[in-house]
Amino acid sequence: MNSQQPASPAEASVLTDMFARTISYLRLSLTDRCNLKCMYCVTEDEKDGHLVKLGQDEMLTYEELLRVVRVAVEMGISKLRLTGGEPLVRHDIMDFINSLAAIDGLDDIRITTNGVLLEKYAQGLIDAGVAKVNISLDTLRPKRFAEITGVDCFDQVWRGIEKALAVGFSPVKLNMVVMRDINDDELVDFARMSQQMPLQVRFIEFMPIGTSTRWNTDTYMTSDEIMERFTNLGELIHLERRQADGPARVFKLGSEARGTLGFISPISHHFCDRCNRLRLTSEGRLRSCLLHDEETDLKGVLRAGCSDADIRATLLTAIQNKPKGHQMAQRLKEQGADCHGRMSRIGG
Ligand code: SAM
């Protein structure tokens, strides 16, 4: 924490929260729909097909999203990430991204995708100025890919990764959610890939979110345990933190490696004290902590015919309500997982 005592609201500057953290990063979940059904992301009711996805009118329209982003950028947001669900499945997505890119003062737009449609959209994204991509990839084995995601399209995703590299995305980050006895036997293969390809391969601790729950204390692996698997592979060189690294601790596996390894440890080494994020869920709610269910309704405000000042006030309320930390490790010990948000609506 920068400060043990919360600042009084009067002292807090516009986009500084109650714990002196500067909030500069907005993540937009553009839709809760996805063309994959990853076992760690879907909830039980989604898997059984009982969950009704959001209707078009329940999601914010592109006009509403553009308005919110414009106001947020005027207030000090400088980095935006498009996520979902799968952001690339929303209709007319490139028109929206081109309009976003035209917002004055917004120079850093990134995207998180499962890669299924990346081969198709990579060049358009680069042309729009979206040059930083995170791609989810939890296995290098096509058959296992189909088991984890419910869709047999590993080759298509791999072509998307190759296309992202070919058209000049930088960095290209691969996100692997590590699950014991599901894909942890591939940790070494992923680490070796970072030696051969100019990628940042990131190992994400499996989070107990939603009612999905393949999560349990056996499937969950800490970053420290993941890192131990690499002790015989070569020297893990710790790299200095750069802004583009986000919450990851970044290493190089040997000085000759073309890429890097990142460890994202929201539970075992949480980064709440430097969290600069605000999330807008696909149903138009502001969520100030991924692992806390408290949210602020922005859609209701927008649809009540609000002014830009009302949007500013709602953004500020969400920021002022940002908790000091999620204490997930402690909560898990005391009462088990209790974060009910759906990842596809929150956007990760
Ligand atoms: N469809 C896009 C994708 O697959 O990257 C964006 C949405 S996805 C919800 C965003 C990120 O959340 C992905 O990197 C995914 O692996 C991660 N994620 C989803 N559920 C998770 C969980 N229970 N624990 C850790 N990461 C999770």
Side-chain angles (χ1 to χ4, degrees):
M1 283 297 132
N2 291 331
S3 146
Q4 293 305 310
Q5 292 299 319
S8 75
E11 286 167 12
S13 64
V14 181
L15 283 183
T16 301
D17 73 3
M18 299 296 274
F19 301 96
R21 294 170 296 199
T22 300
I23 309 304
S24 55
Y25 177 16
L26 179 62
R27 297 174 63 101
L28 296 184
S29 174
L30 295 182
T31 174
D32 64 336
R33 287 166 196 264
C34 189
N35 40 8
L36 299 183
K37 285 193 168 39
C38 299
M39 57 163 64
Y40 51 80
C41 191
V42 293
T43 55
E44 286 305 320
D45 42 5
E46 282 170 306
K47 207 169 61 195
D48 301 342
H50 293 139
L51 179 81
V52 180
K53 292 283 184 183
L54 294 173
Q56 280 300 332
D57 57 337
E58 291 174 279
M59 293 187 288
L60 294 188
T61 63
Y62 284 154
E63 290 70 25
E64 287 168 329
L65 286 165
L66 288 167
R67 186 175 177 207
V68 172
V69 172
R70 180 178 50 73
V71 171
V73 168
E74 284 164 9
M75 291 171 74
I77 292 291
S78 54
K79 171 174 162 184
L80 191 74
R81 179 171 299 280
L82 308 178
T83 174
E86 172 51 40
L88 295 177
V89 301
R90 191 155 167 183
H91 69 93
D92 299 332
I93 184 68
M94 285 313 306
D95 291 344
F96 171 64
I97 292 176
N98 282 312
S99 303
L100 266 183
I103 291 178
D104 251 2
L106 180 59
D107 302 321
D108 187 351
I109 307 175
R110 305 169 182 215
I111 190 161
T112 297
T113 172
N114 57 31
V116 175
L117 295 172
L118 195 54
E119 190 182 18
K120 172 176 173 194
Y121 284 114
Q123 187 63 57
L125 288 166
I126 285 283
D127 293 345
V130 179
K132 299 183 173 81
V133 65
N134 290 1
I135 305 165
S136 299
L137 189 72
D138 307 301
T139 175
L140 297 170
R141 303 180 190 174
K143 186 162 170 284
R144 183 176 283 176
F145 183 95
E147 285 159 11
I148 292 179
T149 67
V151 184
D152 186 4
C153 63
F154 174 84
D155 293 342
Q156 196 173 329
V157 171
W158 190 257
R159 285 198 303 275
I161 294 168
E162 288 179 329
K163 183 78 185 271
L165 289 169
V167 300
F169 277 89
S170 178
V172 176
K173 298 180 183 175
L174 297 192
N175 287 344
M176 176 195 197
V177 177
V178 182
M179 296 166 285
R180 192 191 317 280
D181 295 337
I182 294 176
N183 61 358
D184 65 312
D185 54 342
E186 294 187 62
L187 284 169
V188 166
D189 296 340
F190 271 83
R192 289 222 165 96
M193 189 164 61
S194 82
Q195 294 179 304
Q196 290 145 14
M197 295 178 73
L199 299 164
Q200 183 175 117
V201 176
R202 310 198 310 168
F203 304 103
I204 304 184
E205 285 181 352
F206 188 14
M207 287 180 271
I209 210 171
T211 49
S212 122
T213 245
R214 298 303 290 243
W215 193 96
N216 59 51
T217 45
D218 296 331
T219 357
Y220 166 65
M221 287 178 70
T222 64
S223 291
D224 291 349
E225 193 184 352
I226 295 166
M227 217 178 276
E228 274 169 26
R229 299 280 182 96
F230 307 142
T231 41
N232 295 329
L233 292 186
E235 190 189 1
L236 262 186
I237 305 163
H238 194 176
L239 304 181
E240 221 170 276
R241 234 182 78 73
R242 291 170 318 159
Q243 211 212 343
D245 296 329
R249 289 175 290 151
V250 181
F251 298 80
K252 219 170 158 163
L253 189 51
S255 55
E256 301 300 311
R258 295 183 69 199
T260 56
L261 295 179
F263 295 85
I264 304 191
S265 329
I267 300 176
S268 68
H269 295 275
H270 69 75
F271 32 87
C272 304
D273 59 338
R274 56 188 167 86
C275 181
N276 60 351
R277 300 164 175 213
L278 182 64
R279 293 174 167 82
L280 183 56
T281 69
S282 53
E283 65 258 80
R285 301 176 69 80
L286 291 162
R287 187 171 176 112
S288 53
C289 174
L290 172 61
L291 294 172
H292 260 287
D293 286 325
E294 195 180 324
E295 293 176 348
T296 307
D297 178 29
L298 181 59
K299 183 173 65 185
V301 174
L302 286 163
R303 297 196 177 166
C306 70
S307 64
D308 284 1
D310 296 327
I311 299 176
R312 270 194 292 280
T314 311
L315 287 165
L316 281 176
T317 301
I319 288 168
Q320 302 274 306
N321 288 342
K322 189 173 170 72
K324 185 175 177 187
H326 57 65
Q327 285 100 28
M328 182 50 85
Q330 191 59 30
R331 281 156 65 195
L332 285 169
K333 271 188 221 145
E334 287 167 5
Q335 69 215 46
D338 66 344
C339 186
H340 300 291
R342 285 172 194 285
M343 204 55 134
S344 57
R345 293 189 179 178
I346 303 170

